[in-house]
């Protein structure tokens, strides 16, 4: 079935370090891919999305490229800040017009000054 | 766009009691979802509405859980005879039915069953 696998956390980085959070997916069709961020005590917020192969989603310095050949959607940021400390979730929607969303287990990021 | 609103933010109840949560979606969104999230996990799908019709329910959703969306606007999720295993964050999300429309989440209701 359709699913998402994220790298295990937690991840701890120093401020201004480079961030990569790996995400791979399994899907039978042509899914849309998303990254969500969750700050303590809050719901999930959409960070970025990509809807077809080779699309790059970007927002707030974060980027992720939809790689169909490697079924991946890794999240990257060139220089993290303390305010980026949160839990990051990779998600997919298998059908562009459908209603199903599948989430990874989340990767906790802590950025230290 | 005032965002998705959930009420209450926190609920503490004793085992065996009934609880009801409310969700107000983004007004233009016709799709509404309920998810459950436990510590260290991603959201798990519970149920989904398109307008007022409940179109899908997860097998996770026992008979003690019921959800409604009268008139296709706000939604309620009721849990009857709560159990300690029901303790979790209950997230509501809404979306439009446009292609590849993302979910917009509320801040959730944290339920603690003692």
């Amino acid at each position: 079935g359709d699913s998402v696998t994220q790298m295990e956390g937690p991840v701890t980085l120093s401020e201004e370090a480079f961030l990569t959070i790996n995400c791979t997916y399994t899907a039978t069709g042509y899914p849309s891919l998303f990254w969500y961020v969750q700050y303590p005590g809050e719901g999930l917020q959409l960070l970025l999305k990509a809807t077809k192969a080779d699309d790059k989603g970007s927002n707030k310095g974060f980027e992720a490229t939809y790689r169909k050949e490697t079924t991946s959607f890794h999240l990257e940021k060139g220089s993290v800040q303390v305010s980026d400390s949160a839990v990051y979730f990779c998600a997919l929607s298998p059908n562009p017009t459908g209603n199903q969303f599948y989430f990874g287990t989340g990767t906790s990021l802590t950025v230290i000054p | 766009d005032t965002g998705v609103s959930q009420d209450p933010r926190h609920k503490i109840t004793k085992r065996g009691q009934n609880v009801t949560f409310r969700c107000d979606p983004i007004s233009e969104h016709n799709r509404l979802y309920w998810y459950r999230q436990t510590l260290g996990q991603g959201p798990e799908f519970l149920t989904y509405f398109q307008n007022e019709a409940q179109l899908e329910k997860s097998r996770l959703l026992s008979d003690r859980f019921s959800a409604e969306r009268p008139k296709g606007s706000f939604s309620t999720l009721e849990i009857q005879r709560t159990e300690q295993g029901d303790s979790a964050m209950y997230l509501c999300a809404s979306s439009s039915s446009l292609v590849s429309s993302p979910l917009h989440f509320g801040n959730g209701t944290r339920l603690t069953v003692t």
Side-chain angles (χ1 to χ4, degrees):
Chain A
D2 301 303
S3 66
V4 167
T5 302
Q6 282 183 243
M7 67 182 278
E8 295 283 331
V11 174
T12 302
L13 295 173
S14 297
E15 207 165 20
E16 299 184 3
F18 184 86
L19 168 71
T20 300
I21 300 178
N22 290 341
C23 171
T24 57
Y25 68 89
T26 301
T28 51
Y30 300 92
S32 296
L33 301 173
F34 306 85
W35 276 101
Y36 283 83
V37 58
Q38 186 175 33
Y39 299 100
E42 298 184 11
L44 282 70
Q45 300 175 24
L46 177 67
L47 183 58
L48 53 84
K49 73 174 188 180
T51 59
K52 60 183 187 296
D54 300 325
D55 264 4
K56 178 185 284 189
S58 61
N59 186 26
K60 300 180 181 179
F62 291 89
E63 293 182 339
T65 301
Y66 188 145
R67 302 281 188 204
K68 191 167 175 61
E69 63 276 14
T70 54
T71 62
S72 66
F73 192 55
H74 304 322
L75 182 68
E76 296 182 336
K77 186 175 186 183
S79 175
V80 293
Q81 305 300 312
V82 172
S83 57
D84 294 327
S85 298
V87 181
Y88 293 81
F89 293 91
C90 186
L92 75 81
S93 178
N95 183 331
T97 59
N99 59 286
Q100 280 288 358
F101 288 79
Y102 298 94
F103 289 84
T105 55
T107 301
S108 175
L109 169 68
T110 301
V111 180
I112 53 178
Chain B
D1 179 355
T2 56
V4 177
S5 176
Q6 290 188 248
D7 185 69
R9 288 297 306 274
H10 304 276
K11 179 70 177 179
I12 301 173
T13 191
K14 293 185 177 179
R15 191 174 53 187
Q17 297 295 303
N18 299 345
V19 294
T20 300
F21 310 140
R22 177 181 169 120
C23 171
D24 288 89
I26 293 170
S27 56
E28 311 87 74
H29 288 175
N30 59 349
R31 293 181 172 183
L32 187 146
Y33 307 74
W34 285 98
Y35 282 82
R36 179 168 62 192
Q37 186 181 24
T38 53
L39 197 62
Q41 299 298 315
E44 292 178 303
F45 171 77
L46 293 178
T47 191
Y48 153 71
F49 291 84
Q50 176 134 339
N51 300 313
E52 67 276 8
Q54 187 174 20
L55 296 185
E56 194 164 343
K57 290 170 62 172
S58 166
R59 280 167 282 183
L60 294 174
L61 211 61
S62 80
D63 291 343
R64 296 184 297 105
F65 287 70
S66 62
E68 296 182 340
R69 193 184 182 196
K71 303 177 184 178
S73 56
F74 72 93
S75 176
T76 58
L77 177 69
E78 181 183 18
I79 309 174
Q80 296 182 326
R81 305 181 304 281
T82 52
E83 302 172 357
Q84 286 188 321
D86 296 331
S87 296
M89 175 78 87
Y90 289 84
L91 295 168
C92 177
S94 68
S95 76
S96 74
S97 50
L98 296 176
V99 172
S100 300
S101 179
L103 297 178
H104 297 259
F105 284 88
N107 283 333
T109 293
R110 180 166 295 287
L111 173 66
T112 303
V113 182
T114 61

